[in-house]
Amino acid sequence: KLHASFGLTFGQLERVFDRAVGARRGSAFCDVYLEAGTTQSLTWDQGNLKSTNNSVVCGAGVRVVIEDK
């Protein structure tokens, strides 16, 4: 599912963790947040369909905490 939703393999994600934490493995914390979603909307005006909208949202964030800082 990771690859289907974000085009990432487990190995690529592992490299992100390795690069983010680096040599501080014992004193650092790292997490990766991945988000994917869709929205659809219809706008009606006096009983007539005025517009439609479809949006796809994908994103990622990396957080690294080193020695409680």
Side-chain angles (χ1 to χ4, degrees), residues 48-64:
N48 296 315
L49 182 61
K50 186 174 180 181
S51 65
T52 63
N53 185 33
N54 183 41
S55 299
V56 177
V57 177
C58 292
V62 177
R63 176 177 61 164
V64 179

Side-chain angles (χ1 to χ4, degrees), residues 1-57:
K1 187 147 183 152
L2 179 66
H3 189 268
S5 296
F6 298 98
L8 292 171
T9 65
F10 181 76
Q12 289 170 319
L13 195 55
E14 193 171 39
R15 284 195 297 275
V16 169
F17 280 106
D18 288 344
R19 178 160 249 185
V21 174
R24 297 183 173 98
R25 281 195 172 271
S27 61
F29 170 81
C30 175
D31 64 358
V32 176
Y33 176 79
L34 303 169
E35 178 182 24
T38 61
T39 58
Q40 297 84 29
S41 65
L42 302 172
T43 304
W44 298 87
D45 185 15
Q46 298 180 358
N48 296 315
L49 182 61
K50 186 174 180 181
S51 65
T52 63
N53 185 33
N54 183 41
S55 299
V56 177
V57 177

